[in-house]
Amino acid sequence: TSLDEDLKLMEKKMDHSLSLLSVNFNKKGHPHTDEWKLLVTQYNWKLYTFEDEDSQNDGKENISNQMKKLQLLLQICGGFTSKHEEKREEQMEEILKKHGDYALTFDNILKMVAIFFRIKSGIPVLIMGETGCGKTKLLK
């Protein structure tokens, strides 16, 4: 079948609330960029690209960028304790206040998501690194 036919078939089966976590595929010149753009448009996916932000901020991010990243992480891992938007924002503000010294980067999000799904699947996780590199803070 054609891509268009596949998309129409999937549209009937797929939940449109899917969020896609990705690096900037436009910059990478990936051979399937056009297909990804079509999928993002077709399903109204929210595409998160933190790669540019991480390189431009040099560790000096503003609170709204951290909030966006934390919101994405909590959505993926099911960490929100309420369905109400106001309560979710309060929860994110509390987490950011408690861990304000931690820079939530694209790489850290990927690590946290990988750890989360491995633990959820019952796969042992071993985190290694030099003293003071942030292993404990990553888990917190």
Side-chain angles (χ1 to χ4, degrees):
T1 61
S2 71
L3 179 60
D4 190 46
E5 291 170 338
D6 288 340
L7 290 174
K8 286 178 183 173
L9 179 63
M10 289 304 296
E11 186 173 358
K12 296 175 186 171
K13 299 177 184 179
M14 190 178 289
D15 177 16
H16 295 296
S17 65
L18 177 68
S19 293
L20 181 64
L21 179 65
S22 174
V23 295
N24 190 345
F25 58 83
N26 289 323
K27 273 181 138 182
K28 302 294 182 195
H30 194 276
H32 301 292
T33 298
D34 292 336
E35 286 87 356
W36 277 110
K37 285 181 181 178
L38 179 62
L39 288 170
V40 168
T41 304
Q42 177 81 20
Y43 294 112
N44 197 26
W45 285 343
K46 200 172 203 176
L47 185 63
Y48 293 89
T49 307
F50 297 121
E51 184 180 45
D52 294 332
E53 290 177 14
D54 289 344
S55 63
Q56 291 172 358
N57 286 320
D58 296 328
K60 299 176 183 170
E61 287 189 291
N62 62 31
I63 297 297
S64 68
N65 284 341
Q66 287 286 354
M67 286 282 268
K68 283 188 338 188
K69 292 175 183 181
L70 182 58
Q71 181 179 22
L72 174 64
L73 182 62
L74 291 173
Q75 283 176 332
I76 292 171
C77 297
F80 283 116
T81 56
S82 174
K83 293 186 183 223
H84 302 293
E85 192 61 36
E86 303 85 29
K87 299 255 187 206
R88 287 180 171 202
E89 284 188 30
E90 288 174 14
Q91 182 183 358
M92 288 188 297
E93 288 170 4
E94 186 177 313
I95 292 170
L96 284 178
K97 187 187 294 183
K98 187 175 179 181
H99 302 286
D101 59 337
Y102 189 78
L104 193 56
T105 64
F106 179 75
D107 186 51
N108 293 347
I109 291 172
L110 289 178
K111 288 176 185 173
M112 289 179 203
V113 169
I115 291 167
F116 173 78
F117 283 113
R118 284 184 173 102
I119 290 172
K120 201 148 170 72
S121 300
I123 299 170
V125 177
L126 178 65
I127 300 175
M128 296 172 34
E130 297 292 326
T131 303
C133 72
K135 300 178 297 289
T136 303
K137 195 67 170 178
L138 177 81
L139 293 176
K140 286 180 182 179

